[in-house]
Amino acid sequence: MRVLIYSLVILFSTAEFLYADVKRPDTIKEVFFTGTNHELEVYKIYGRKDGPTMLIIGGIQGDEPGGLLSADSYADIKLEKGNLIVIPRTNFYSIMLFNREVKGVDMNRLFDKAPNDWQGDIVNKIKEYMKESDIFLNLHDGWGFHYPEHINWHKSPDRFGYSVIVDEEEFTCSNGTTLKLGEMAKKAMEAANAKIPDDDPKKHYFNTETNKSSSRFQNMKKSATWYAVSDLCIPAFGIEGSKNMKLDKNVLYHNYVINEFMKNAGIEIEYPNTHTYEPEFTGAVIKVHNDELFIRSGKVLEVKKGSVIKVTEIFANHKRGITCDIVDFGNLNDINKDYKVEKDSRIIFRKDNIVMGSVTVKAVEQVSNIITAENAKNKEIEIPVKEHKQVELSKEESKIILEPNIKYFHLIIDGKDIHIKNGDKIHIKDGSKVVFVKLLSSKVQNYNVAINFKGWFPADISANIGDDRGYEIIFPPANILKKYSVGQKGKLYPVVAHDAAKKQDIAKILVELD
């Protein structure tokens, strides 16, 4: 009989051979069921050195944000050794609804027999990834706090919250291998508890004794962890936060446990990333026929009745879990779908289940005149991107290679937020007050790089550091050097974003003076 205990040296399963020839280090994103309510994003993270593979899933029950946000934080992780497969939003539909179940079905009770529908499709995907893995963690948030003895409703053996769960203390597989689940769970949990402040509760060990006829939790035989253990001989654990604890602590203490399991399995972390900050919606690009509009929350988009529109990009302070829902059309996930406007409607933008903002769509017989930077201040609609024409530059002036992830420069012109597409031109009238704010991307959370209005320098500083963000510049600028203008003609000036880490310019627009 072989006993399987994870330590700094681990016995590889067949997963070792699946990852032998991959590029290292690397992260590969796989997306399934695109454009549906149940879109599934999977992140495969390969460490600099090969090693064991851990599967982490969150959000299989949609009203448990601590688990899904903890898993989400590992999608950006870097590994020195080993591999991760991370599925933060296993049941995206239930997450957007903020329900444990969808139409009365709990996805974590479908692993004994996957149904022939979309939930079964996801369960089968999870099973495939289990086969590539050496250890499996399923992240949840339960009610209350699991305690070995009954104290009150919140603290009792009946509560699942804030525990590390195993299906058996030990389990002997059909091939004779013994999984010492209890020993592995307690080792990780105790090390994690040592990091939790004394004024917060510690996590408790919970053995559901799933395989015993006397178990009070017979339905666990339908769960993901039991399938991994009993069918695949993979050590699997339920990691529970508590719905009665603050979200930031839930995520942090989840991560403490995950990191210990990783360390014990021989997976070495370069760095993790935790983010529980409030979702903020900046705006979205909406395509109307061949025209693109950047429009912000609360605005009104007027389009001619019968026109086809499509939301092509969403800008927010989070990178994942972002969707748009065109009311009375499609489903909860309508990005990149053609919508024929026959009546007034609304587009709702969400981060998971949280509504970040919305845009009103008005179907009209005649659309208002084109909005420009000069007359947009009091209008509801944003500036059409098509108004800022690409400019032909000389070879010398075209040396910059634009970073494709950067979509817009955010400016404030006379108190109005304006977004100029990367590589385009804007005309600014005399007397306008302009502030360069930042870059926008739907792929990268925050480009904190300098923005330099070439030729202009603040009058009240002794040294020009090349970062002109935040200054209010009155046009035409008095202190601007003509030699930096295109062709040195004093009419067209570059504004570039410089990434000091990469030692190169990564984005550019042109400002045209009156």
Side-chain angles (χ1 to χ4, degrees), residues 34-35 39 285 287 309-314 324 326 329 333-339 443:
T34 303
E39 187 168 289
V285 174
K287 193 170 186 179
I309 69 172
K310 178 164 61 177
V311 179
T312 59
E313 288 192 87
I314 303 171
C324 68
I326 303 174
F329 168 78
N333 187 12
D334 293 328
I335 191 168
N336 285 315
K337 292 181 182 176
D338 289 332
Y339 170 60
K443 306 296 184 186

Side-chain angles (χ1 to χ4, degrees), residues 280-283 294 315-317 406-412 417-422 435-441 444-452 467-471 495-497 507 509:
E280 293 180 2
F281 171 62
T282 304
F294 185 96
F315 296 83
N317 62 342
I406 300 172
K407 300 299 183 181
Y408 294 96
F409 281 72
H410 177 193
L411 285 68
I412 299 174
D417 288 302
I418 304 296
H419 299 85
I420 311 301
K421 199 171 185 179
N422 188 14
V435 179
F436 296 101
V437 182
K438 62 181 178 180
L439 303 178
L440 282 182
S441 167
V444 178
Q445 189 174 299
N446 183 29
Y447 278 105
N448 184 23
V449 297
I451 296 177
N452 186 7
D467 189 357
D468 300 325
R469 290 177 294 176
Y471 290 98
V495 177
V496 299
I509 59 174

Side-chain angles (χ1 to χ4, degrees), residues 440-505:
L440 282 182
S441 167
S442 58
K443 306 296 184 186
V444 178
Q445 189 174 299
N446 183 29
Y447 278 105
N448 184 23
V449 297
I451 296 177
N452 186 7
F453 181 15
K454 290 288 188 179
W456 180 83
F457 57 92
D460 57 348
I461 64 170
S462 58
N464 187 3
I465 62 172
D467 189 357
D468 300 325
R469 290 177 294 176
Y471 290 98
E472 184 177 80
I473 306 171
I474 300 176
F475 276 64
N479 44 328
I480 193 164
L481 303 176
K482 185 176 179 180
K483 69 178 183 179
Y484 287 95
S485 64
V486 175
Q488 297 188 11
K489 296 178 180 179
K491 293 290 289 182
L492 200 60
Y493 288 83
V495 177
V496 299
H498 184 78
D499 189 331
K502 293 183 177 180
K503 298 181 180 180
Q504 67 182 42
D505 295 336

Side-chain angles (χ1 to χ4, degrees), residues 65 69 72 89 247-248 251 274-282 315-322 349-357 438 445:
L69 290 177
D72 199 46
R89 294 167 177 82
L247 182 59
D248 59 345
V251 175
T274 301
H275 46 76
T276 60
Y277 41 83
E278 193 73 19
E280 293 180 2
F281 171 62
T282 304
F315 296 83
N317 62 342
H318 288 263
K319 292 189 290 183
R320 290 179 289 276
I322 307 299
F349 297 89
R350 292 187 180 92
K351 161 69 168 69
D352 297 325
N353 65 294
I354 300 170
V355 174
M356 299 185 295
K438 62 181 178 180
Q445 189 174 299

Side-chain angles (χ1 to χ4, degrees), residues 131-384:
K131 293 174 183 177
E132 298 181 28
S133 306
D134 299 293
I135 183 170
F136 168 51
L137 303 183
N138 194 354
L139 311 187
H140 296 270
D141 289 336
W143 286 108
F145 301 84
H146 179 80
Y147 270 67
E149 68 283 351
H150 182 86
I151 297 174
N152 53 41
W153 184 93
H154 280 91
K155 299 178 180 180
S156 85
D158 295 323
R159 303 275 74 82
F160 274 67
Y162 212 59
S163 63
V164 179
I165 300 174
V166 298
D167 289 291
E168 291 291 338
E169 186 70 24
E170 292 186 5
F171 181 81
T172 302
C173 306
S174 58
N175 65 1
T177 298
T178 296
L179 305 179
K180 292 212 165 189
L181 302 172
E183 184 174 334
M184 295 166 67
K186 291 170 186 174
K187 182 178 180 181
M189 183 190 72
E190 288 167 4
N193 278 342
K195 297 179 181 178
I196 296 174
D198 291 338
D199 53 353
D200 280 334
K202 307 292 186 178
K203 288 183 181 283
H204 283 89
Y205 173 71
F206 186 4
N207 180 2
T208 58
E209 299 184 328
T210 300
N211 204 32
K212 290 183 171 59
S213 58
S214 59
S215 173
R216 296 181 296 129
F217 307 103
Q218 289 291 320
N219 64 352
M220 291 293 287
K221 285 190 175 179
K222 302 177 180 180
S223 70
T225 53
W226 179 246
Y227 176 83
V229 169
S230 62
D231 284 50
L232 302 179
C233 196
I234 296 170
F237 306 88
I239 313 299
E240 293 272 354
S242 174
K243 294 180 181 179
N244 304 96
M245 179 170 278
K246 288 184 177 180
L247 182 59
D248 59 345
K249 289 185 177 181
N250 244 347
V251 175
L252 180 62
Y253 299 160
H254 265 305
N255 290 1
Y256 283 169
V257 179
I258 295 167
N259 290 348
E260 293 301 326
F261 270 110
M262 290 175 65
K263 181 173 72 174
N264 295 339
I267 301 172
E268 298 177 15
I269 303 172
E270 281 191 357
Y271 66 83
N273 177 29
T274 301
H275 46 76
T276 60
Y277 41 83
E278 193 73 19
E280 293 180 2
F281 171 62
T282 304
V285 174
I286 301 178
K287 193 170 186 179
V288 183
H289 295 304
N290 292 322
D291 299 334
E292 288 183 326
L293 304 176
F294 185 96
I295 191 162
R296 293 176 292 124
S297 182
K299 298 299 183 181
V300 177
L301 174 63
E302 287 186 356
V303 297
K304 190 173 181 179
K305 190 177 290 187
S307 296
V308 175
I309 69 172
K310 178 164 61 177
V311 179
T312 59
E313 288 192 87
I314 303 171
F315 296 83
N317 62 342
H318 288 263
K319 292 189 290 183
R320 290 179 289 276
I322 307 299
T323 56
C324 68
D325 174 16
I326 303 174
V327 176
D328 296 329
F329 168 78
N331 51 42
L332 296 177
N333 187 12
D334 293 328
I335 191 168
N336 285 315
K337 292 181 182 176
D338 289 332
Y339 170 60
K340 189 174 183 179
V341 180
E342 299 288 0
K343 61 180 182 177
D344 294 352
S345 186
R346 197 159 65 100
I347 305 173
I348 299 170
F349 297 89
R350 292 187 180 92
K351 161 69 168 69
D352 297 325
N353 65 294
I354 300 170
V355 174
M356 299 185 295
S358 65
V359 168
T360 298
V361 179
K362 290 188 70 67
V364 297
E365 298 297 335
Q366 185 64 41
V367 180
S368 306
N369 293 332
I370 291 293
I371 309 300
T372 64
E374 290 80 9
N375 64 9
K377 184 174 181 181
N378 297 317
K379 301 292 184 180
E380 289 296 309
I381 195 170
E382 294 284 354
I383 302 174

